[in-house]
Amino acid sequence: IGIGAPKARMLPEGYPMEKADAHAKRFLEITNEEMKARGVGLLFEAVHKDYCDYCNYSEHCKAMVEAIGDDNLWMVLDFYNMDVMDEDLLHFDQYMPWVRHFHINHRGPNNDRQYILPEDEPFLKDLKESFARVGYDGTITIEADARYFEEYGKEGLSIMQKWMNG
């Protein structure tokens, strides 16, 4: 189960970050305990600043997961959120001990999350090399807005299959 929940990450103005971290840590601990008891892994995700104002960077997400230090709680790295936050999309080695899943998509106008497009293929080639460099062979999903499914979903799937099998 992935924890993105941007609406739950809106902090009141002036809310201390240390207090937000303490609350988030306790939430993750409780949720992780419940998921672990049911044999379900838990993934925490950094979400970009236009969606919320808490845990916007992968480094912050990693720090939360690392602080809890349980083998059932991991990170999902979302290249869309990383891109909006100007994080390095091809050098994510420092997160790999905590990563168990990736999201990809095409970043469209107004930061729309679209299905991957042919113009994304050079990035996907570089990304595949980065995955090989860090030894990642786990799961990757396209996370796109549903309104683009009819127009771009089939093409995105085709590109993904070509990328994964090529």
Side-chain angles (χ1 to χ4, degrees), residues 89-103:
L89 302 182
L90 296 175
H91 297 92
F92 42 81
D93 309 46
Q94 70 273 25
Y95 306 118
M96 289 314 297
W98 298 273
V99 172
R100 286 299 177 269
H101 186 70
F102 285 90
H103 288 161

Side-chain angles (χ1 to χ4, degrees), residues 22-39:
H23 287 290
K25 183 178 180 200
R26 188 65 187 130
F27 167 80
L28 289 170
E29 288 170 340
I30 291 168
T31 305
N32 186 53
E33 287 172 21
E34 292 297 319
M35 294 301 99
K36 191 173 188 172
R38 290 161 175 77

Side-chain angles (χ1 to χ4, degrees), residues 116-128:
I116 52 178
L117 300 172
E119 64 197 68
D120 297 314
E121 290 187 58
F123 168 70
L124 295 174
K125 179 183 178 291
D126 292 342
L127 185 57
K128 193 168 190 174

Side-chain angles (χ1 to χ4, degrees), residues 96-160:
M96 289 314 297
W98 298 273
V99 172
R100 286 299 177 269
H101 186 70
F102 285 90
H103 288 161
I104 62 172
N105 70 336
H106 175 82
R107 182 176 167 194
N110 303 314
N111 287 336
D112 289 349
R113 291 180 311 163
Q114 297 178 347
Y115 288 83
I116 52 178
L117 300 172
E119 64 197 68
D120 297 314
E121 290 187 58
F123 168 70
L124 295 174
K125 179 183 178 291
D126 292 342
L127 185 57
K128 193 168 190 174
E129 291 172 7
S130 292
F131 284 153
R133 184 186 73 246
V134 299
Y136 185 74
D137 65 352
T139 56
I140 304 159
T141 56
I142 299 173
E143 185 181 52
D145 295 334
R147 68 179 178 263
Y148 296 109
F149 182 74
E150 290 297 322
E151 186 174 2
Y152 300 111
K154 186 175 181 179
E155 181 178 35
L157 175 60
S158 175
I159 294 167
M160 183 92 161

